[in-house]
Amino acid sequence: MNEMLLLRHGETEWSKAGRHTGRTDLPLTEHGEDQARALAPLTKEPFDLVLVSPAQRALRTAELAGLTGYEVDPDLWEWDYGGYEGITTPDIRRTRPGWFLWRDGVIPGDAEHPGESVEEVGARADRVIERAKAVEGRVAVVAHGHFLRVLAARWVNLKPQAGRLLKLDTGTYSRLGFEHAEPVLLAWNAPLVN
């Protein structure tokens, strides 16, 4: 693999409101669709592998960004927030002062949102990285904020928790690659539209 382009899906109503959106399948807002269309200049050159999360917000972003021939990969789902699904950090901190996702994790939820540890997210990211490394050429991945932060941390051989250091906004792109055969971040959290 020469390079991996990461696209975070465009804005949804929940991402706009700061609500944890793991497995709840929400559409893009109108602004989110504009963000996705703005990513199209990045996809003019062909990719040898395109992987997209099963969530409609990621699928729609891929389509509006002009990516075709993609594979839906369940490993790209966002972090399963369990009992914190749909809840904002300030609301969680009302009952759990000082809570920090990357340090404190999530509580179990219902059958559709059982919850997931950062290590479990890291294991999924590792599988995606292995798939990408097996490809000759360029790879594109369309997924979610916390998942992509974990993936980038694992790319540079850090623990999954190091994703906390890599803020990632909706509708942005990042690039992973190599310098002297060592994995590096080539670009991070770059917007094409505000």
Side-chain angles (χ1 to χ4, degrees):
M1 187 198 80
N2 300 334
E3 178 180 291
M4 189 182 331
L5 175 69
L6 307 180
L7 302 181
R8 181 176 176 199
H9 66 76
E11 176 191 84
T12 68
E13 287 298 333
W14 280 20
S15 68
K16 182 179 177 181
R19 295 172 68 179
H20 288 89
T21 317
R23 305 301 166 95
T24 302
D25 203 7
L26 299 172
L28 298 176
T29 62
E30 185 175 326
H31 178 64
E33 292 206 351
D34 290 341
Q35 289 176 311
R37 282 185 201 95
L39 297 168
L42 301 169
T43 67
K44 297 289 185 212
E45 298 295 320
F47 290 89
D48 300 286
L49 176 66
V50 179
L51 300 174
V52 181
S53 161
Q56 67 174 307
R57 59 196 183 269
L59 292 165
R60 183 72 174 143
T61 296
E63 291 164 6
L64 293 172
L67 290 168
T68 59
Y70 56 78
E71 295 179 41
V72 175
D73 187 339
D75 277 336
L76 294 174
W77 266 113
E78 178 60 294
W79 192 327
D80 182 342
Y81 300 118
Y84 293 145
E85 181 76 10
I87 303 175
T88 67
T89 295
D91 286 340
I92 295 167
R93 287 181 174 169
R94 284 191 183 95
T95 58
R96 200 169 168 189
W99 175 82
F100 185 54
L101 174 66
W102 298 94
R103 177 189 61 233
D104 303 318
V106 301
I107 59 173
D110 59 21
E112 291 182 28
H113 309 95
E116 188 175 30
S117 70
V118 69
E119 291 81 12
E120 290 170 313
V121 179
R124 290 193 288 114
D126 287 346
R127 289 193 296 266
V128 172
I129 289 169
E130 288 309 308
R131 281 193 75 187
K133 283 183 174 178
V135 171
E136 294 277 335
R138 301 174 70 223
V139 174
V141 173
V142 184
H144 313 276
H146 281 127
F147 178 82
L148 291 173
R149 292 167 69 175
V150 170
L151 184 132
R154 297 300 301 137
W155 176 257
V156 293
N157 299 311
L158 298 175
K159 292 184 178 184
Q161 294 86 341
R164 75 186 186 284
L165 304 171
L166 301 169
K167 182 181 185 299
L168 189 59
D169 299 318
T170 58
T172 57
Y173 74 92
S174 302
R175 291 174 35 241
L176 308 179
F178 299 93
E179 180 183 44
H180 307 297
E182 292 296 320
V184 296
L185 304 181
L186 298 171
W188 190 257
N189 200 33
L192 286 172
V193 70
N194 291 325

